[in-house]
Amino acid sequence: MQSMESRGSNNTETVTSRLRELIMDGTLPQGEKVTETGLAALLQVSRTPVRLALAALEQEDLVRGAPNRGFHVRRFTIDDMRDILDVRATLEGMAARLAAEKGLTGDEEAQLRSCIEDLGALIATGHHDQPAFRAFSAINIRFHTHIARIAGNAELIRLMERNPFRSAPLLHILPAEEGLQVLRESQRDHIRLLEAILQGQGTRAEFLMREHALLPLSKATQLFDHINTNTAMRSNQKAG
Amino acid sequence: MQSMESRGSNNTETVTSRLRELIMDGTLPQGEKVTETGLAALLQVSRTPVRLALAALEQEDLVRGAPNRGFHVRRFTIDDMRDILDVRATLEGMAARLAAEKGLTGDEEAQLRSCIEDLGALIATGHHDQPAFRAFSAINIRFHTHIARIAGNAELIRLMERNPFRSAPLLHILPAEEGLQVLRESQRDHIRLLEAILQGQGTRAEFLMREHALLPLSKATQLFDHINTNTAMRSNQKAG
DNA sequence: ACAGAGAAGATTGCATGCAATCAATGGAAA
DNA sequence: TTTCCATTGATTGCATGCAATCTTCTCTGT
């Protein structure tokens, strides 16, 4: 799984990745005002790479800036998350449809099957802890990335890689039992998807994928609450 | 039609816009190597805003950079254009479907109707010259932007605004008579689209819009040739 | 006490210097 | 003649200084 960044290992890229993580995991609370100077001090670099990183994150819409007044971390409302997931579902659906219409090579089919096998093995262990969910996330990303590549539309891949919620099904915030249930549902979806793609059923694949991609939506409210309480917690920590 | 840029009127934004224009209209030929220093000299600014602008355009995938080796203008192959237009058609289709499912307020309907009226008036003049095509482009953008706003999905709007070919149907490269034909076809599509949306026919609206958005695809080959000859021309000019 | 103006502090936006890295060219050896 | 290496030239990547702008706090006047 190669990184989204095309450039080498310079400071700007590491700062960008680091900031993205800090935002997505809630270390930088939503709405937090961030300054070039502050982040530069925090990350031990000069303002220049921070400046470039903030510009990049602004294009990803993770931070928002006002002229001469710096940046603040984007607030994700429940509506924002619904919008983002809706778009993601549409794009993933398009990828599934294209893949089905194009047909699979033997190698491509094998790769998808291996994802399904791996997830099956993971579920069979019965584990439902944080490491298991991280493993699931990796497998899930592999599956979806493969389909996008099979679809063969470079622009589509580009947009999907830039989707704010591309990486994580965010299982770690769910009660463990419910998380395991998500794994099982995902597995069922993946199997049906592969079936549809193998049979060249483009429309079926598209809508199966849409539903599959919307699976996290029902959990969005919980995620929303989680982030907010998390944010409040950290704010209090700082205040105290 | 407000600009995509959220920031105020600083140098970086103007440089970004200017560079985007230079690339899209072929002044900077495809594959051209561009350097911070060179562009800074060309645009009479320091390297800093140029650097930020290039970073932004790299995210838009209009330029591509190699570590420590500068940037070059992206080459659009015919496949690239098909990919981009395919994605655009899917997103526009999604917007149309959402708009239809949501329903129109009286004001929203009036705005769409005014676009149709304006385009009708433009066609009635029978003009098929550059100014007419620019006027069409403006009306067309208005129509599509309205539908995206009606759909009400912020993420969708964001992605559509960033699509490389969002702005122009690129009519100016077509023979005038054929250009006028495009105007008529567009008008017909717009009318049917409004009808479908008004009647709440989401699926119909979606697929009407997809077809409509793919209309430029049949012209892509011509566009491709145009850009290439244009590029070759300018290269020769420089060489001579 | 409250409102408004002015000054001070903070922060961005831009320019430029310097070092690190990469490509290119030229020369020497086989 | 060809290949390999080293040196040179060019270009990015980063740090930092300075001016412009915005915010905020304070002081004055009503």
Side-chain angles (χ1 to χ4, degrees):
Chain A
M1 182 79 203
Q2 69 265 26
S3 146
M4 173 177 116
E5 337 285 352
S6 57
R7 323 296 301 280
S9 64
N10 50 15
N11 254 346
T12 299
E13 294 305 331
T14 57
V15 168
T16 306
S17 303
R18 187 93 192 86
L19 281 181
R20 199 185 289 118
E21 287 168 15
L22 290 178
I23 291 172
M24 288 312 286
D25 72 9
T27 307
L28 288 176
Q30 297 190 22
E32 178 92 337
K33 195 171 105 182
V34 291
T35 67
E36 291 179 8
T37 330
L39 292 179
L42 179 67
L43 300 178
Q44 304 281 6
V45 294
S46 87
R47 284 171 46 213
T48 306
V50 173
R51 178 173 201 64
L52 285 164
L54 283 175
L57 294 179
E58 187 182 26
Q59 286 224 356
E60 290 180 32
D61 215 1
L62 284 181
V63 302
R64 290 179 170 171
N68 286 316
R69 291 203 289 124
F71 297 84
H72 62 271
V73 178
R74 172 177 181 186
R75 288 180 191 279
F76 283 103
T77 68
I78 186 73
D79 285 335
D80 289 334
M81 289 194 258
R82 185 177 41 68
D83 287 355
I84 291 170
L85 284 173
D86 264 1
V87 170
R88 175 161 195 83
T90 298
L91 292 177
E92 294 262 16
M94 176 181 175
R97 173 170 50 81
L98 288 178
E101 291 172 354
K102 201 166 195 174
L104 298 182
T105 68
D107 193 52
E108 288 165 348
E109 178 182 344
Q111 285 179 318
L112 290 180
R113 281 199 192 283
S114 96
C115 292
I116 291 177
E117 278 175 28
D118 291 351
L119 181 50
L122 182 64
I123 292 177
T125 68
H127 294 164
H128 45 271
D129 48 7
Q130 188 107 0
F133 292 157
R134 293 194 74 83
F136 164 66
S137 181
I139 295 170
N140 197 45
I141 290 176
R142 240 173 68 211
F143 187 82
H144 287 256
T145 304
H146 271 139
I147 290 183
R149 289 205 196 293
I150 293 165
N153 184 315
E155 175 75 0
L156 183 58
I157 293 173
R158 198 176 74 84
L159 289 188
M160 284 171 56
E161 280 178 346
R162 275 172 172 63
N163 187 287
F165 292 152
R166 75 186 175 290
S167 51
L170 302 156
L171 280 180
H172 58 283
I173 66 140
L174 293 180
E177 279 305 333
E178 200 168 348
L180 190 55
Q181 184 59 28
V182 169
L183 262 63
R184 291 206 191 88
E185 287 184 36
S186 293
Q187 177 74 329
R188 193 207 55 180
D189 289 348
H190 286 183
I191 291 173
R192 290 195 186 179
L193 261 166
L194 176 58
E195 183 184 295
I197 292 174
L198 278 175
Q199 299 180 3
Q201 299 167 332
T203 304
R204 181 179 170 220
E206 175 172 2
F207 284 84
L208 277 174
M209 182 64 102
R210 271 202 203 165
E211 279 305 311
H212 176 61
L214 288 179
L215 199 143
L217 186 54
S218 56
K219 320 292 181 188
T221 306
Q222 302 168 39
L223 167 65
F224 187 57
D225 293 342
H226 167 77
I227 288 184
N228 277 1
T229 55
N230 200 10
T231 297
M233 247 175 50
R234 295 182 188 271
S235 298
N236 290 343
Q237 279 177 2
K238 256 200 294 196
Chain B
M1 181 79 204
Q2 68 266 28
S3 148
M4 173 177 114
E5 336 286 352
S6 57
R7 323 295 301 279
S9 64
N10 51 12
N11 256 345
T12 299
E13 293 305 332
T14 58
V15 168
T16 305
S17 303
R18 188 93 192 87
L19 280 181
R20 199 185 288 117
E21 287 168 15
L22 290 178
I23 291 173
M24 289 312 286
D25 72 8
T27 306
L28 288 176
Q30 297 190 22
E32 178 93 337
K33 196 173 105 182
V34 291
T35 66
E36 292 179 7
T37 331
L39 292 178
L42 179 67
L43 299 178
Q44 303 281 5
V45 294
S46 89
R47 284 171 46 215
T48 305
V50 173
R51 176 173 202 65
L52 285 164
L54 283 175
L57 294 179
E58 188 182 25
Q59 287 225 354
E60 290 180 31
D61 214 2
L62 285 181
V63 300
R64 290 178 170 172
N68 285 316
R69 291 203 288 124
F71 297 84
H72 62 270
V73 178
R74 171 176 182 186
R75 289 182 190 279
F76 284 103
T77 69
I78 186 72
D79 284 335
D80 290 334
M81 288 194 260
R82 184 177 42 69
D83 286 355
I84 291 170
L85 283 172
D86 265 1
V87 170
R88 177 162 193 81
T90 298
L91 292 177
E92 294 262 17
M94 176 181 175
R97 173 170 52 80
L98 288 179
E101 290 171 354
K102 201 167 196 174
L104 298 180
T105 68
D107 193 52
E108 289 165 346
E109 178 182 344
Q111 286 179 315
L112 290 180
R113 282 199 192 283
S114 97
C115 292
I116 290 176
E117 277 175 28
D118 292 350
L119 180 50
L122 182 63
I123 292 176
T125 66
H127 294 162
H128 46 271
D129 47 8
Q130 188 105 1
F133 293 156
R134 292 196 74 82
F136 165 65
S137 180
I139 294 171
N140 198 45
I141 290 177
R142 240 173 68 210
F143 187 82
H144 287 255
T145 304
H146 270 139
I147 289 184
R149 290 206 194 291
I150 293 165
N153 184 316
E155 176 74 1
L156 182 58
I157 292 173
R158 198 176 74 84
L159 289 187
M160 285 171 56
E161 281 178 346
R162 275 172 174 62
N163 187 287
F165 293 153
R166 74 185 178 291
S167 51
L170 303 155
L171 280 180
H172 58 285
I173 65 139
L174 293 180
E177 278 305 333
E178 200 167 347
L180 190 56
Q181 184 60 28
V182 168
L183 262 63
R184 291 206 192 89
E185 288 184 36
S186 293
Q187 176 74 331
R188 193 207 55 178
D189 289 347
H190 286 183
I191 290 173
R192 289 195 186 178
L193 260 167
L194 176 57
E195 182 184 296
I197 292 174
L198 278 174
Q199 298 180 5
Q201 298 167 330
T203 303
R204 182 180 171 218
E206 176 173 2
F207 284 83
L208 278 173
M209 181 63 103
R210 272 201 202 167
E211 280 305 311
H212 176 61
L214 288 178
L215 200 143
L217 186 53
S218 56
K219 320 293 181 189
T221 307
Q222 302 168 36
L223 167 65
F224 186 57
D225 293 343
H226 166 77
I227 287 183
N228 277 1
T229 55
N230 200 12
T231 297
M233 249 175 49
R234 295 181 187 270
S235 297
N236 290 342
Q237 281 177 2
K238 256 201 290 198

